Amino acid sequence: MDFKLGLDQSLKLNLSLEMKISIEILKMSLKELKKYLEKESVKNSNIEIIFPKSNFSKNEDYENFIENIGEEDESLISYLEEQIIYLEIKREVRDILEYLINNLDERGYLISNLEELRKNGGFKLNIFKDAIKILHTLEPIGVGATNLIECLKIQLENKGILTDTLSNILDKNLEDIANADLKKISLERDIPLAKVKEYINTIKNLNPKPARGFYVNKKTDYIIPDLFVETNNEELIVNLNESGIPKIRLKNENKKDQILALALERGLIKRQETLLEVGRYVLNYQKEYILFDKNLKTLKVKDIAYSLNLHESTISRALKDKFIKINGKIESLKKYIVLDDKAELIKREILKIIETEDKNNPLSDEKILIKLMEKNLLVQRRTVGKYREELGILSSRKRKK
């Protein structure tokens, strides 16, 4: 083999390995990173992973990081990502699936409408639709819906029992189902009462929260923050948590191990540099919310990518499973990514209105709408209901004491 050709191939191999490791490390949480590095050191006994003494006090902050989760619970994101590994699909479809999986909320629903997510990710419509179809076939069935009705329909469709009648009942009579008003459904749909009971039993056997039993993003058994945020004279000081980043050491010199050790070391450095850059940008962009409790502003992944001259996939990986410690609390960095600031503003107002309502005579969506209009917030009544449900707030009938 020609020496120059062999050298070029060796360099390409090294760069490919380094890039692959760097991409993997960037999207890991500190907890995942520790497990990954420990696994690498077991696979290669010549590589030693030396973690610094942690300045993170478990006794002091433990309560902030423990959520209602058991040892047996598993990450929904990891569970879904593992499934798509074995699918024979195009790389671009796989990328969209990873993007969608990392945009699921605690219920397993997508955090925004499909068109917003597609535009935010800059994906072609036909490929995006293909990815959505695949997402809706993954376990647990029902993930990837944008609302409760769609979640239930996905499950019925996967069972092969979604009919026009069932679809109409879900679209028009969901509240009647919750109130067990079978007669109303029977009269409106011109269906015998016995058949209505049969339909309702089918619906009630579905899972309205497919993510139940898993944890999603910020819901984990023990979260270590990646960034520490302090305020000083109305300025934000953002620093990395270096306690979770180890040193890579070789016990004995050999070329193959040197390449891997160097790739790991550079991957760690790149992770920290990118995370700090992205974190500082995001948090300073939302500084008024942090310092003065103003509304979060619209901030999309593509906007960050453009401002920092980085690829959108790099930003998504940097945001994935990353947490900050701010004002004594642990928060997901993704909290500060807002697709629609008007929607966030309206949700906050709905919360305020409901918090101050007469608990014996709670406000209907129509009355909430009127109060929003008084504040010059124009929105449709059905949107009020949608936002209320997304906030996890029951209808006025169910809120009544």
Side-chain angles (χ1 to χ4, degrees), residues 76 79-80 83 134-143 158 210 214:
L76 177 66
Y79 183 62
L80 291 167
Q83 291 178 62
I134 294 170
L135 179 61
H136 290 170
T137 65
L138 300 180
E139 295 285 346
I141 300 297
V143 295
N158 273 271
F214 294 87

Side-chain angles (χ1 to χ4, degrees), residues 222-357:
Y222 188 59
I223 298 172
I224 303 172
D226 299 87
L227 298 168
F228 295 114
V229 186
E230 297 176 7
T231 57
N232 182 26
N233 295 326
E234 298 187 356
E235 291 297 323
L236 295 181
I237 302 167
V238 183
N239 290 308
L240 289 162
N241 179 8
E242 297 287 2
S243 65
I245 305 301
K247 299 292 182 185
I248 312 295
R249 190 171 74 86
L250 281 176
K251 296 176 184 176
N252 300 300
E253 297 288 332
N254 77 60
K255 189 172 181 181
K256 182 183 176 183
D257 294 340
Q258 278 181 336
I259 291 169
L260 177 58
L262 188 60
L264 288 170
E265 190 172 9
R266 287 179 175 171
L268 290 171
I269 292 169
K270 187 66 177 175
R271 176 193 189 275
Q272 295 299 84
E273 288 176 348
T274 306
L275 181 55
L276 185 60
E277 186 179 15
V278 172
R280 281 178 173 167
Y281 180 86
V282 170
L283 294 165
N284 277 289
Y285 188 88
Q286 303 289 16
K287 186 165 69 172
E288 290 188 347
Y289 168 82
I290 295 168
L291 295 175
F292 310 115
D293 197 31
K294 293 193 176 180
N295 294 315
L296 287 165
K297 298 184 288 185
T298 296
L299 179 60
K300 302 178 181 180
V301 169
K302 66 179 180 182
D303 300 329
I304 306 170
Y306 179 80
S307 299
L308 298 181
N309 196 26
L310 294 170
H311 197 277
E312 286 178 37
S313 62
T314 301
I315 304 299
S316 294
R317 292 185 187 104
L319 293 169
K320 181 182 182 293
D321 292 339
K322 304 305 187 300
F323 298 86
I324 64 172
K325 183 175 182 181
I326 181 169
N327 298 324
K329 295 180 181 178
I330 300 299
E331 295 180 339
S332 170
L333 187 56
K334 269 190 177 180
K335 168 186 174 178
Y336 297 90
I337 307 302
V338 177
L339 300 181
D340 184 352
D341 57 355
K342 184 184 176 185
E344 289 298 315
L345 172 60
I346 292 169
K347 284 180 183 179
R348 290 188 79 181
E349 288 299 326
I350 290 172
L351 268 175
K352 287 178 185 177
I353 291 167
I354 291 175
E355 282 171 0
T356 57
E357 71 183 358

